[in-house]
Amino acid sequence: MKGNKNEDLNNSEDNNKQNENEKNDKVTEEKIINKDENEGGTLSCELIKDELASHDMIFKIIVIGDSFVGKSCITTRATKDIYENYYTTTVGFEFFTLQYRINSQNIKLQIWDTCGQEEYRSLIQNFYRNSSLAILVYSINSRNSFDNLGVWLNEIRTKGNPDVKIFLVGNKIDLENERVISTTEGQQFYESQKLNLFIETSAKNGNNIQELFQKAAILLYQEHASYKDRASRVDNTIRLPFPGDENQNPMDNDDEVERKKKCCK
């Protein structure tokens, strides 16, 4: 009996050591993955609240999707930290900015919130060009908005930059009791279309809103760094493609943006 107890104790200690080793291996693996994703190191990213701060890089983001999915609520929550409990239809587009400091670089995001009505579709398509990233939004309580994702996806892929990054966003998770699109269904669409991110949000309570745009800033920063690295390896006369690297009309400068906003009111 005594020998059996000692044997059981040794087996227990061996199992604990094995579990600990597996745990350490998993932690090490996660660190390596994060290191690879961040191109050799940890990125620090913080929101800059000073709208007049200078910037080192600027990227154009377009927010698209059906009407009533909460596109304007997402952008106002992200940029102004407010939620308006009433609905007003966006006519044409609205313009917002966010700025982040990633490592030592200031990254400015110019965000174009577009309307979802069919009659403005030709106007929206003008803003696909030179977008660095598209945020494609549906509502988790609207089957139609989810079924129409393919239409929006086809438009951004055929009329936008061929290298544009695309985030899929399932909004209104605060209405969980009205959900008709499961998280799994959204995940499957994201995987089947090979998009860059899938995330569920609530503009009403702010869930994952800041994370959404922070991930956008980090991805675009990493893509730009990768572009510069590739460009440094080739002849300077060769121009390599990069999402949004071309002339980003009509968002090249803030004065032009403000002029266009005033003329469209």
Side-chain angles (χ1 to χ4, degrees), residues 137-204:
V137 185
Y138 69 92
S139 176
I140 67 159
N141 66 340
S142 170
R143 170 59 62 178
N144 285 340
S145 70
F146 186 82
D147 290 343
N148 289 336
L149 289 177
V151 177
W152 292 101
L153 196 57
N154 180 66
E155 286 191 356
I156 189 64
R157 283 176 167 169
T158 58
K159 301 180 185 301
N161 189 301
D163 297 316
V164 65
K165 307 304 176 185
I166 303 174
F167 284 5
L168 177 64
V169 176
N171 193 35
K172 302 188 182 181
I173 58 174
D174 52 283
L175 300 178
E176 185 63 33
N177 60 328
E178 300 177 17
R179 179 190 284 270
V180 295
I181 308 299
S182 68
T183 301
T184 300
E185 192 171 1
Q187 181 75 20
Q188 288 173 344
F189 183 88
Y190 149 77
E191 292 175 354
S192 67
Q193 296 298 323
K194 296 179 172 57
L195 307 182
N196 298 97
L197 177 76
F198 169 59
I199 191 171
E200 291 188 330
T201 63
S202 169
K204 184 174 183 178

Side-chain angles (χ1 to χ4, degrees), residues 56-119:
D56 301 295
M57 304 177 198
I58 187 168
F59 300 103
K60 176 181 176 182
I61 294 178
I62 186 170
V63 185
I64 57 177
D66 280 7
S67 298
F68 306 108
V69 297
K71 299 186 299 294
S72 296
C73 292
I74 288 174
T75 52
T76 54
R77 171 63 80 178
T79 57
K80 302 177 182 179
D81 197 23
I82 61 174
Y83 175 78
E84 297 175 340
N85 211 19
Y86 58 90
Y87 181 81
T88 57
T89 303
T90 301
V91 178
F93 67 90
E94 291 188 50
F95 172 76
F96 303 87
T97 62
L98 273 177
Q99 198 154 325
Y100 293 90
R101 180 174 292 111
I102 301 179
N103 290 354
S104 60
Q105 301 287 301
N106 287 358
I107 314 300
K108 187 170 188 177
L109 304 181
Q110 292 191 322
I111 305 163
W112 297 85
D113 169 30
T114 65
C115 58
Q117 295 94 323
E118 182 67 31
E119 57 265 34

Side-chain angles (χ1 to χ4, degrees), residues 21-35:
N21 289 335
E22 289 176 353
K23 183 178 179 181
N24 290 336
D25 290 342
K26 186 176 181 181
V27 171
T28 304
E29 182 181 359
E30 289 174 351
K31 287 181 180 179
I32 292 173
I33 291 173
N34 290 335
K35 184 176 181 180

Side-chain angles (χ1 to χ4, degrees), residues 31-44 103 221-222 225:
K31 287 181 180 179
I32 292 173
I33 291 173
N34 290 335
K35 184 176 181 180
D36 290 341
E37 288 177 347
N38 293 335
E39 297 182 353
T42 302
L43 292 177
S44 63
N103 290 354
Y221 170 84
Q222 291 176 326

